[in-house]
């Protein structure tokens, strides 16, 4: 079911026409659908059935408090990668006992904070981190639950910047080193081995690399059991891709089915850390055409959103569909859709056929994940407002930044 459908020639989010949102809150703004988010969450949840499991939403995809709140109320756990994300999850009402902490560079302060919060598990990515965590937990008089992030050395076949499961990537430890780390953890009183973890990359559109990685991790669990190290959960990470334009990622149900098959009769809880597949297609970036500019070689639609709002096209050459909010029968022209930022890389779409006039609204689709969370203030542009639609209700869940806020923490010389 689409929560972004046309009604009376106009794109709606659930029951709300986008033009009404633009009128009320201005542009650019991100518009999210609560029903879309809820339905992707439930699709995972239902497929797991009675098998013990926990969905840990990767907060980095979009860490707006309303989104974390909706997921927390659905029972979701969270995958965090910083002390900042931990605080957001707690502020949104998330349960620390459902939080896993990933990332290669957890600082002393971050580890201390997460130990004090009594989180569910630390996904440890190196020997030095394991030792640091052991010391911090010991000093706090606590026992830290640990999982080793294994780098299974498989090619996720995605953009190289978001591929994480190859030996040459900075993530995790090799299968050969994992055993040593587990033995260290097992022998250290301030650590308790609870799980194993992997994550091979993002925007994966093929199940095969995930299956390959899952097989390697399960084999390692069996090997660990043979040496007397018992694992309680396997965390298979995130990574399932979404359709931006014509990609055909496997459905969520197929991914879960594959993981259940892989684990088989073993007494292991399954965890996953989806980000994009939960929120990516639950949000759009609503923007207005400022100018139509007919150049010598190209036509440009200059819009009021820019690379600072959505940097995926500039950073990964990513494609996001761009749709006029109001549809007409007029013939379109071909435009590069560009922002006001002073860089040639500031485009949200290239060579798009659009029937538009100055002042028209456009929706940049699939902007729920890695859009707002990667936004910046480049060119001293305030971050966009964020709106959550829930049926026919509209909630402002992120105020537009004010320019004064952007330099409030700076000062002139005395
Ligand atoms: N778990 C870990 C340890 C991760 O590093 C990530 C994403 C996830 C889970 C969630 O992956 P997902 O289900 O969203 O694919 N900025 C890039 C994506 C970077 C992903 C980083 N790690 C983009 O805009 O495509």
């Amino acid at each position: 079911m689409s929560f972004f459908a046309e009604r009376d020639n106009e794109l709606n989010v659930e029951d709300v026409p986008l033009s009404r949102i633009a009128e009320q809150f201005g542009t650019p703004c991100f518009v999210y659908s609560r029903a879309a988010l809820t339905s992707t969450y439930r699709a995972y949840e239902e497929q797991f059935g009675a098998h013990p499991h926990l969905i840990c939403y990767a907060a980095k995809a979009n860490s707006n408090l309303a989104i974390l709140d909706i997921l927390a109320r659905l029972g979701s756990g969270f995958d965090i990668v910083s002390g900042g994300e931990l605080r957001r999850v707690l502020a949104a009402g998330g349960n620390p006992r459902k939080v896993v902490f990933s990332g290669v560079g957890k600082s002393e302060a971050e580890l201390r904070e997460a130990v004090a919060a009594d989180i569910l598990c630390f996904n440890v990515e190196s020997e030095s981190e394991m030792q640091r965590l052991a010391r911090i937990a010991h000093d706090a008089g606590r026992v830290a639950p640990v999982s080793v992030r294994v780098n299974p050395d498989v090619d996720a076949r995605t953009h190289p910047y978001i591929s994480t499961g190859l030996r040459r990537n900075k993530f995790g430890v090799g299968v050969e080193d994992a055993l040593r780390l587990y033995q260290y953890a097992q022998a250290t009183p301030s650590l308790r081995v609870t799980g194993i973890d992997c994550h091979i990359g993002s925007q994966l559109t093929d199940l095969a690399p995930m299956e390959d990685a899952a097989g390697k991790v399960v084999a390692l669990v069996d090997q660990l059991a043979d040496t007397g190290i018992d694992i309680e959960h396997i965390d298979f990470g995130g990574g399932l891709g979404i359709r931006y334009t014509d990609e055909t990622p496997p459905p969520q149900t197929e991914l879960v089915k594959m993981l259940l098959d892989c684990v088989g009769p073993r007494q292991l809880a399954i965890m996953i850390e989806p980000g994009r597949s939960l929120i990516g297609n639950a949000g759009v970036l609503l923007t207005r055409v400022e100018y139509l500019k007919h150049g010598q070689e190209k036509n440009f639609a200059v819009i009021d959103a820019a690379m600072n709002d959505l940097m995926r096209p500039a950073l990964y050459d990513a494609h996001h569909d761009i749709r006029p909010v109001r549809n007409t029968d007029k013939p379109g022209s071909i435009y590069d859709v560009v922002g006001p930022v002073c860089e040639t890389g500031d485009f949200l779409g290239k060579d798009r056929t659009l029937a538009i006039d100055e002042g028209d609204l456009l929706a940049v689709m699939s902007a729920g994940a890695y859009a707002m969370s990667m936004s910046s203030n480049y060119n001293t542009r305030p971050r966009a407002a964020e709106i959550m639609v829930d049926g026919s209700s509209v909630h402002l869940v992120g105020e537009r930044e004010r320019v004064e806020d952007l330099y409030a923490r700076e000062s002139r010389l005395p």
Side-chain angles (χ1 to χ4, degrees):
M1 193 191 351
S2 178
F3 302 97
F4 300 83
E6 222 168 86
R7 217 164 292 132
D8 301 328
N9 270 332
E10 173 166 355
L11 190 58
N12 282 230
V13 176
E14 299 190 35
D15 301 333
V16 183
L18 277 170
S19 59
R20 211 167 85 204
I21 293 178
E23 229 166 80
Q24 198 177 344
F25 301 102
T27 54
C29 64
F30 287 96
V31 187
Y32 309 122
S33 155
R34 180 178 191 172
L37 174 58
T38 303
S39 94
T40 51
Y41 180 83
R42 292 220 167 107
Y44 276 126
E45 191 59 48
E46 280 159 20
Q47 191 66 25
F48 276 111
H51 192 102
H53 66 277
L54 184 64
I55 299 164
C56 290
Y57 169 65
K60 66 168 82 68
N62 188 327
S63 51
N64 181 287
L65 290 196
I67 286 164
L68 302 179
D69 176 27
I70 288 170
L71 289 166
R73 289 188 209 201
L74 289 166
S76 184
F78 298 93
D79 168 51
I80 59 161
V81 288
S82 69
E85 286 189 351
L86 175 59
R87 289 202 205 171
R88 273 183 181 274
V89 165
L90 298 179
N95 179 352
R97 294 298 305 150
K98 292 184 177 177
V99 167
V100 298
F101 194 171
S102 305
V104 291
K106 305 176 190 82
S107 72
E108 289 261 343
E110 288 175 322
L111 287 173
R112 244 183 277 121
E113 207 170 320
V115 165
D118 197 22
I119 66 164
L120 177 63
C121 193
F122 291 84
N123 292 338
V124 174
E125 304 223 16
S126 66
E127 189 160 3
S128 301
E129 182 192 335
M130 188 73 94
Q131 290 164 353
R132 180 182 275 188
L133 177 59
R135 174 171 49 74
I136 288 169
H138 173 267
D139 292 349
R142 305 291 270 268
V143 177
V146 294
S147 203
V148 173
R149 176 164 174 183
V150 174
N151 183 328
D153 196 28
V154 299
D155 185 356
R157 299 204 281 273
T158 182
H159 191 285
Y161 288 6
I162 52 176
S163 193
T164 53
L166 284 170
R167 214 187 277 271
R168 62 169 173 273
N169 301 139
K170 68 180 175 183
F171 299 98
V173 302
V175 171
E176 323 71 46
D177 298 325
L179 181 60
R180 198 162 33 82
L181 260 71
Y182 275 112
Q183 282 164 341
Y184 172 85
Q186 183 100 325
T188 306
S190 63
L191 299 176
R192 187 168 87 81
V193 172
T194 61
I196 191 162
D197 165 52
C198 80
H199 170 80
I200 60 169
S202 195
Q203 184 52 16
L204 311 189
T205 52
D206 180 3
L207 216 51
M210 292 192 256
E211 195 165 5
D212 196 4
K216 287 189 179 180
V217 175
V218 169
L220 184 55
V221 170
D222 291 342
Q223 206 187 322
L224 289 168
D226 291 342
T227 64
I229 296 168
D230 285 321
I231 301 287
E232 295 161 22
H233 74 252
I234 301 196
D235 179 345
F236 289 106
L240 183 63
I242 60 168
R243 169 173 285 205
Y244 284 99
T245 164
D246 54 3
E247 302 89 339
T248 50
Q252 297 166 267
T253 46
E254 248 173 66
L255 168 65
V256 174
K257 209 159 126 349
M258 181 275 281
L259 298 176
L260 286 166
D261 285 349
C262 236
V263 167
R266 296 174 185 81
Q267 297 285 307
L268 286 167
I270 299 179
M271 283 159 50
I272 52 171
E273 302 169 352
R276 189 187 326 256
S277 55
L278 286 175
I279 190 70
N281 273 330
V284 300
L285 172 58
L286 181 61
T287 171
R288 201 178 280 284
V289 179
E290 294 275 11
Y291 302 104
L292 293 180
K293 180 170 169 178
H294 302 281
Q296 286 179 318
E297 220 172 272
K298 291 208 129 185
N299 297 322
F300 297 99
V302 184
I303 58 175
D304 63 5
M307 66 188 290
N308 73 296
D309 301 298
L310 177 64
M311 72 183 295
R312 303 193 68 257
L315 191 58
Y316 315 113
D317 224 353
H319 178 103
H320 286 254
D321 275 351
I322 300 178
R323 289 165 58 176
V325 165
R326 182 158 281 287
N327 242 330
T328 65
D329 304 329
K330 284 191 305 187
S333 306
I334 300 178
Y335 293 99
D336 277 8
V337 181
V338 301
V341 165
C342 303
E343 297 218 15
T344 301
D346 179 28
F347 62 91
L348 295 195
K350 287 204 168 148
D351 298 322
R352 304 301 176 87
T353 303
L354 295 164
I356 44 172
D357 289 316
E358 293 184 349
D360 282 359
L361 292 169
L362 295 174
V364 183
M365 307 305 290
S366 311
Y370 304 112
M372 186 61 176
S373 62
M374 293 172 72
S375 65
S376 77
N377 294 123
Y378 189 37
N379 279 206
T380 304
R381 288 172 50 81
R383 281 191 184 77
E386 294 177 282
I387 317 297
M388 178 68 69
V389 174
D390 183 5
S392 55
S393 310
V394 174
H395 306 278
L396 176 66
V397 295
E399 275 178 34
R400 185 180 307 287
E401 276 178 333
R402 295 171 316 157
V403 170
E404 310 84 88
D405 297 337
L406 305 189
Y407 53 79
R409 50 174 195 87
E410 300 168 24
S411 47
R412 299 171 61 192
L413 292 177

